[in-house]
Amino acid sequence: MVPLSVAWDDIGGLVDAHERFLAGSLVESDVRDSVLDSWKRCRSVGLEPHRLLVRYTGDVALDERFRHAADPVLAHLTSSFADASMTIALCDGQGRMVERLGGDRQLRDRLDAVRFAPGFDASESVVGTNGVGTALAERGPVYIAGREHFADCLQPFACAGAPVRDPLSGRIEAVLDITCLRDQGDPAMVRMVREAARSIEARLLEQADLRERALLAAYRRADGHARDWPGQPDGLRPDLDGGALGRIDMAVLRAKAEELIASPHRTLDEVTLPSGRTATLLRRQVTGAAGESGVAVEARVLGGPRLRHLDLAPAPGETGIPAAPAGEGRLGSAVRRPDGSPVAHSTPAPQAPATAPATAPAATPATAPATTPDGEPAGAEGWLLLVGEPGVGRLAMLARRRLELLHDASVRIGTTLDVTRTAEELAEVTVPRFADFVAVDLPDSVLRGEEPEALGGRTALRRVAIRAVRRQPHNLYDVGDTVEYVPSTPQARSLETRQSVMEPVLTEADGWIAQDPERLTPVLEAGIHSLITVPLRARGTTLGVVSFYRSLQPDSYEDDDLSLAQELVGRAAICIDNARRYTREHNTALALQRSLLPRGRSEQSAVEVAYRYLPAQAGVGGDWFDVIPLSGARVALVVGDVVGHGLHAAATMGRLRTAVHNFCSLDLSPDDLLTHLDDLVGRLDRGEGWAAENSPDSGIVGATCLYAVYDPVSRRCTLTRAGHPLPAVVAPDGSVEFVDLPACPPLGLGGMPFETVELELAEGSRLVLYTDGLVEDRHRDIDAGLEDLRAVLAGADRSPEDTCEAVLDALLPARPGDDVALLVARTHSLGADRVAQWDLPSDPAVVSRSRAAVTAQLAEWGLEELTFTTELIASELVTNAIRHATGPVQLRLLRDRALICEVSDGSATSPRLRRAQSTDEGGRGLFLVAQLTERWGTRYTPDGKVIWTEQPLPGRCR
């Protein structure tokens, strides 16, 4: 038989659904709920389908008590698969594989290749959706086949897994899994693995204490069976053609048996089963040899099940293994076969009066009697259903189930810091164990991470999560819908009073119907009959409201259910508030960081730039970049990275970026600039000036930086770095080279000089600067990332924008673990026709010749309008250089976005602008220069200094 899920996979349904899910589309109608829930959990922890890092742990083992119970079951299961290519895996309670049995050589090799082997971790958070990890996450049996696996490498397989619990504590001790190739998979595998898990649980129960054993022995003696029973053959299942009891029938019988045990004055009960048959329950007292007092409940069903053997029967001479339901333990555990059908037994003895302490342990499953070769009960139609003690019964069983639900909620709610996912986890935990339909409504402000306003009637809420036993929740609002509850509804009353509201009978709740009679009347007709609403409150703030509905469960909500709902929602509210606060901090840090990053493009013509900044999924970091125009038509390119994430990293990034701008205004050389930046980071580490000791912003600051200055006149680029990845240069012919910069330490360590490298770039070269988040992550080392980057950058005639797109498409992971900053600059040159330069001797007579040269050059450029001011500026600067400086003097004019006039000399003394007194004969020339220009300043060179000025060009010349 080909499973439906596998057949659907083969025609592309699941393939398409998986791809659409990864792309962020809705696939609820195309994927089984359990599989979709697993995919969401996998995505929330950052798993990537094409990459897995499987952890290995040596010496994984289970205790001797468990191995004594499991070994015979595993041996029987292995022998039954002797002719089939299936492997059996036993894992511990964390999903780590302890043992793997069976399977042919081909299957074992393929499983070894994907590390599905002893010692490796198969938990869902590590390897994604699979029989072991998903059974552990769902806390129940699962079947996963083909494309239902989240990871690509597991899709050739089909697997079924089931948790194995301690029948007394309910704790998951291990996980049992059956795996085969996908084309050999069958959903019946889940029944087989569930039967084997229950058989192990039953053998664990055989190790119960003496009191439980004494009660069972007393029951056997009362029925005339003093010998030890061989027990139920392992693997019996009902013949479907013989009228076997179904799961719902057995659930009804078990519930009625629990009530009968808890009723000291009742001895008989007649039950009409959902299948239409009638069952009679008989309650009678049993007393152990040491005086233990208990109660046994037996059942007779008209037209009871016929049984037949499978090939999983015990080997000759071995004791049969009774099956017990997982997780129910000593409190009201029904005696059932692995598929849920009851165990056959002989006619019971007459009922005796029952008295026993109400505080004693409750019902315990009994060992099954023998059957005849054809599977009929040995001797009569009656069979043992429950053994327990009066006074405990159903209420104790419900208490046990509620405790287990609370435990599961504490494990499964709040696994991420995502508000929506946390709301979904609350709904997933409570359906169907507590409710048949759950809706979580939150205001948009909570989803944005903001403080919610006071919630009350008519407050607009957003339906964030729903979960239903049925796929379509009738006419109730869907995810994403806006809900405004009228004041009479239980939800509005919960928000107003901040108290939970229970409506045991919805048909009598006129306030609920008043929300939308046309929409909600069909909901009642469809079977929803009971409601509990609980406000989501945490730390004194109301965050929303949760609605629990029942439809398929026959019992209406009671006071105990109300307390349980409040406890569940209270735990979820804390998790949602934590997620909201994280969202607020993340958004604040992101807004801060984006406000500190460059806005728009700086006005310069030396390079054509494109850039990208992408924050990490885990939180905002401290990556930054800058393009800073410098004097002389030059430009500075900066990329930096502050270690860490959050507000502290973003604020530190802002400080460093501001410092770089300030140092650039001083026209420092690249190595001097990094030296000053290194000193600043060191002072930040010591808490000097910026952050007080023990403040939230204090702490070690780790940062790297790459700084480059490009001069379009000489086409030379000077670069230096502090612990940063190497920049790449793409030549006009498409060849790629990484600049071999000296490996200077990161900023803040101090004591080491920064070295520079100068190179000449052909016009049209692309300079690529980036942070390590682009080329390095936990799945890829930096060397492999650099080679990938080299391969993507290779190629000519690509613009900076196209280069950014190609690099991010090829190298960016689906969920970046670190920020990514990318800056691509294509170089231009300032041609000789836009540069005029004169070398001048130190002779005052050359001042007049320099004015004439400037006038002629401006006329050639068509800038006659600037002749007067430029003559005056050049005359004043040349005169000062000849009078106060030493060495050769050079005058240079550059026609760029502005008219630049530069005078260089061999002195390191910088002129100062001062206000001349009325009696002074000089000192006004530099003041006139400052008034006639848009900007002016001084920069130092290895041989002296350059005084420069900028004048805006006339509009027609720009």
Side-chain angles (χ1 to χ4, degrees):
M1 180 182 71
V2 178
L4 291 178
S5 60
V6 176
W8 187 41
D9 189 358
D10 291 339
I11 64 174
L14 269 177
V15 175
D16 179 63
H18 193 263
E19 295 301 326
R20 287 189 291 110
F21 173 80
L22 295 176
S25 301
L26 295 176
V27 295
E28 276 78 359
S29 61
D30 301 327
V31 185
R32 290 192 290 135
D33 288 343
S34 58
V35 174
L36 183 58
D37 293 341
S38 176
W39 288 0
K40 291 178 180 178
R41 291 192 294 267
C42 295
R43 182 173 60 185
S44 68
V45 298
L47 288 186
E48 300 177 40
H50 59 289
R51 292 190 182 125
L52 296 179
L53 284 180
V54 186
R55 296 189 292 257
Y56 177 81
T57 305
D59 301 325
V60 181
L62 297 168
D63 59 46
E64 289 299 323
R65 167 178 164 272
F66 188 91
R67 293 311 305 249
H68 177 75
D71 285 346
V73 179
L74 296 179
H76 296 159
L77 201 57
T78 304
S79 64
S80 69
F81 292 150
D83 298 327
S85 180
M86 290 192 176
T87 187
I88 304 156
L90 180 65
C91 303
D92 67 7
Q94 279 118 11
R96 300 171 299 183
M97 191 178 297
V98 178
E99 185 177 13
R100 195 182 72 190
L101 305 169
D104 58 20
R105 180 63 178 270
Q106 179 189 7
L107 178 60
R108 293 198 303 270
D109 290 345
R110 296 190 67 173
L111 292 174
D112 288 341
V114 298
R115 297 185 177 180
F116 192 75
F120 286 101
D121 193 339
S123 60
E124 191 178 74
S125 60
V126 174
V127 299
T129 309
N130 72 95
V132 176
T134 305
L136 197 57
E138 293 283 338
R139 305 180 70 82
V142 298
Y143 175 72
I144 307 295
R147 197 68 181 186
E148 290 181 333
H149 290 92
F150 188 77
D152 295 341
C153 62
L154 298 182
Q155 289 165 10
F157 305 99
C159 55
V164 183
R165 300 174 183 262
D166 184 319
L168 300 182
S169 68
R171 184 178 63 251
I172 294 178
E173 298 282 350
V175 182
L176 193 61
D177 174 89
I178 300 174
T179 297
C180 63
L181 295 178
R182 184 181 64 173
D183 56 0
Q184 300 176 16
D186 191 320
M189 291 164 56
V190 75
R191 189 193 70 237
M192 301 170 72
V193 74
R194 182 175 63 236
E195 290 174 355
R198 287 176 173 171
S199 296
I200 296 174
E201 292 168 351
R203 287 185 60 87
L204 288 171
L205 189 63
E206 288 183 345
Q207 304 174 32
D209 58 33
L210 294 177
R211 180 178 185 82
E212 293 161 341
R213 290 177 178 272
L215 286 175
L216 292 175
Y219 175 81
R220 296 167 186 167
R221 286 195 300 272
D223 201 47
H225 295 275
R227 60 183 174 83
D228 289 334
W229 295 347
Q232 166 198 339
D234 186 23
L236 289 180
R237 67 180 181 187
D239 186 345
L240 297 180
D241 296 332
L245 292 180
R247 178 177 60 85
I248 298 178
D249 288 343
M250 281 305 303
V252 172
L253 278 177
R254 185 175 68 242
K256 293 300 183 180
E258 292 166 356
E259 295 176 4
L260 197 57
I261 289 178
S263 304
H265 303 296
R266 295 173 57 194
T267 59
L268 288 171
D269 196 1
E270 188 172 88
V271 182
T272 300
L273 301 176
S275 62
R277 284 172 288 179
T278 301
T280 301
L281 301 181
L282 177 64
R283 174 186 188 276
R284 62 192 178 94
Q285 183 180 12
V286 292
T287 304
E292 302 89 347
S293 178
V295 173
V297 176
E298 297 177 352
R300 292 186 183 88
V301 179
L302 183 61
R306 298 173 58 84
L307 306 174
R308 60 184 174 85
H309 291 277
L310 290 181
D311 55 0
L312 297 180
E318 293 190 8
T319 302
I321 305 170
E328 294 178 354
R330 73 174 72 202
L331 295 179
S333 298
V335 178
R336 298 180 294 176
R337 296 185 176 83
D339 66 289
S341 61
V343 174
H345 192 265
S346 59
T347 305
Q351 170 69 26
T355 57
T359 57
T364 301
T367 307
T371 60
T372 60
D374 63 354
E376 289 291 337
E381 298 174 356
W383 31 269
L384 176 62
L385 187 62
L386 287 177
V387 173
E389 296 189 23
V392 183
R394 177 176 178 272
L395 295 179
M397 185 62 175
L398 292 176
R400 167 65 178 277
R401 290 173 179 169
R402 287 167 178 160
L403 287 175
E404 185 176 346
L405 179 57
L406 288 174
H407 170 73
D408 288 353
S410 66
V411 172
R412 296 175 57 184
I413 298 176
T415 59
T416 69
L417 287 172
D418 182 85
V419 173
T420 299
R421 180 60 193 147
T422 305
E424 291 174 348
E425 289 170 343
L426 170 62
E428 291 168 5
V429 167
T430 51
V431 175
R433 298 162 66 182
F434 180 71
D436 297 314
F437 175 74
V438 173
V440 183
D441 303 320
L442 305 175
D444 289 337
S445 57
V446 172
L447 298 176
R448 295 192 298 265
E450 302 169 0
E451 291 289 342
E453 300 177 356
L455 302 182
R458 292 296 184 183
T459 299
L461 302 177
R462 183 79 58 190
R463 180 137 297 178
V464 176
I466 59 173
R467 184 78 169 185
V469 174
R470 297 171 179 169
R471 185 168 294 275
Q472 295 296 334
H474 311 299
N475 292 340
L476 294 173
Y477 299 95
D478 204 349
V479 171
D481 290 348
T482 300
V483 186
E484 294 186 12
Y485 290 109
V486 301
S488 62
T489 58
Q491 290 86 351
R493 285 151 47 201
S494 290
L495 294 173
E496 287 284 356
T497 63
R498 303 178 183 178
Q499 301 293 325
S500 303
V501 175
M502 181 172 64
E503 295 287 357
V505 184
L506 268 183
T507 54
E508 301 175 0
D510 295 335
W512 181 77
I513 291 288
Q515 172 71 22
D516 190 339
E518 184 177 349
R519 176 194 290 262
L520 297 182
T521 300
V523 172
L524 293 179
E525 295 173 352
I528 286 185
H529 58 81
S530 189
L531 166 67
I532 288 178
T533 63
V534 184
L536 271 160
R537 288 186 52 78
R539 303 180 177 96
T541 302
T542 302
L543 305 173
V545 65
V546 185
S547 304
F548 300 95
Y549 294 88
R550 278 187 177 173
S551 58
L552 299 181
Q553 299 186 42
D555 296 334
S556 297
Y557 284 120
E558 302 173 351
D559 290 340
D560 288 344
D561 297 314
L562 184 63
S563 300
L564 178 59
Q566 292 169 341
E567 180 69 21
L568 289 169
V569 174
R571 297 187 182 195
I574 294 295
C575 298
I576 288 177
D577 192 50
N578 290 340
R580 178 190 65 83
R581 290 166 180 261
Y582 170 79
T583 301
R584 178 183 61 187
E585 179 178 342
H586 178 83
N587 291 341
T588 301
L590 185 60
L592 171 63
Q593 186 177 45
R594 292 198 180 279
S595 70
L596 296 174
L597 290 173
R599 295 184 180 181
R601 301 176 188 246
S602 57
E603 292 188 2
Q604 51 81 34
S605 56
V607 292
E608 176 190 351
V609 298
Y611 48 81
R612 297 290 187 274
Y613 170 75
L614 297 172
Q617 293 283 344
V620 175
D623 291 15
W624 91 91
F625 62 90
D626 243 321
V627 179
I628 306 173
L630 301 177
S631 64
R634 299 170 305 139
V635 65
L637 305 174
V638 192
V639 171
D641 183 4
V642 176
V643 176
H645 296 90
L647 284 173
H648 178 50
T652 303
M653 177 270 288
R655 295 168 180 171
L656 298 185
R657 180 171 178 260
T658 301
V660 170
H661 273 266
N662 292 335
F663 296 148
C664 283
S665 67
L666 299 176
D667 259 322
L668 297 178
S669 63
D671 52 340
D672 284 343
L673 185 144
L674 285 193
T675 300
H676 283 76
L677 205 60
D678 177 68
D679 179 64
L680 172 62
V681 173
R683 288 189 286 113
L684 288 177
D685 282 345
R686 296 189 296 271
E688 297 178 11
W690 293 101
E693 185 177 359
N694 298 324
S695 72
D697 272 353
S698 63
I700 300 300
V701 176
T704 66
C705 185
L706 175 64
Y707 185 78
V709 175
Y710 174 69
D711 185 347
V713 177
S714 64
R715 292 187 288 104
R716 302 197 66 80
C717 184
T718 305
L719 305 98
T720 186
R721 65 169 178 155
H724 205 81
L726 296 173
V729 174
V730 186
D733 62 2
S735 61
V736 181
E737 293 293 336
F738 289 99
V739 182
D740 188 15
L741 289 177
C744 300
L747 298 173
L749 297 182
M752 295 292 290
F754 294 97
E755 301 181 46
T756 61
V757 169
E758 188 173 7
L759 54 113
E760 185 173 334
L761 300 178
E763 184 174 8
S765 299
R766 281 170 285 157
L767 187 60
V768 181
L769 287 67
Y770 51 89
T771 55
D772 58 358
L774 180 69
V775 295
E776 184 179 21
D777 57 36
R778 61 192 182 101
H779 301 295
R780 175 181 57 188
D781 61 38
I782 192 168
D783 292 333
L786 290 176
E787 287 306 312
D788 293 342
L789 179 60
R790 182 195 298 273
V792 176
L793 291 176
D797 299 329
R798 184 183 284 168
S799 69
E801 283 289 341
D802 293 340
T803 302
C804 286
E805 289 297 325
V807 168
L808 293 186
D809 288 345
L811 274 72
L812 192 67
R815 282 181 59 90
D818 195 5
D819 290 17
V820 173
L822 173 64
L823 177 63
V824 179
R826 181 161 61 186
T827 63
H828 299 303
S829 65
L830 206 60
D833 60 329
R834 304 177 69 180
V835 179
Q837 181 174 301
W838 302 274
D839 293 323
L840 305 174
S842 295
D843 183 356
V846 303
V847 175
S848 60
R849 295 201 299 269
S850 66
R851 288 199 297 266
V854 167
T855 300
Q857 186 62 56
L858 293 180
E860 182 180 339
W861 284 344
L863 299 177
E864 292 86 353
E865 300 173 34
L866 300 178
T867 300
F868 175 77
T869 55
T870 307
E871 277 187 346
L872 181 59
I873 292 169
S875 175
E876 179 63 29
L877 295 182
V878 170
T879 301
N880 284 344
I882 293 174
R883 180 180 297 178
H884 301 292
T886 60
V889 177
Q890 186 182 78
L891 172 63
R892 188 169 74 163
L893 292 180
L894 305 176
R895 182 184 176 183
D896 190 37
R897 290 177 177 269
L899 179 63
I900 301 171
C901 180
E902 296 181 343
V903 174
S904 61
D905 58 56
S907 172
T909 303
S910 175
R912 292 187 302 111
L913 180 66
R914 65 184 182 87
R915 181 179 295 276
Q917 300 296 322
S918 59
T919 57
D920 291 343
E921 295 183 0
R924 296 176 178 84
L926 200 58
F927 178 78
L928 290 174
V929 169
Q931 295 300 310
L932 294 173
T933 61
E934 188 174 55
R935 293 198 310 153
W936 76 278
T938 304
R939 70 173 181 269
Y940 294 93
T941 66
D943 301 322
K945 69 176 182 297
V946 176
I947 302 176
W948 55 269
T949 66
E950 288 184 5
Q951 302 174 75
L953 296 177
R956 61 180 175 80
C957 300
R958 292 177 185 172

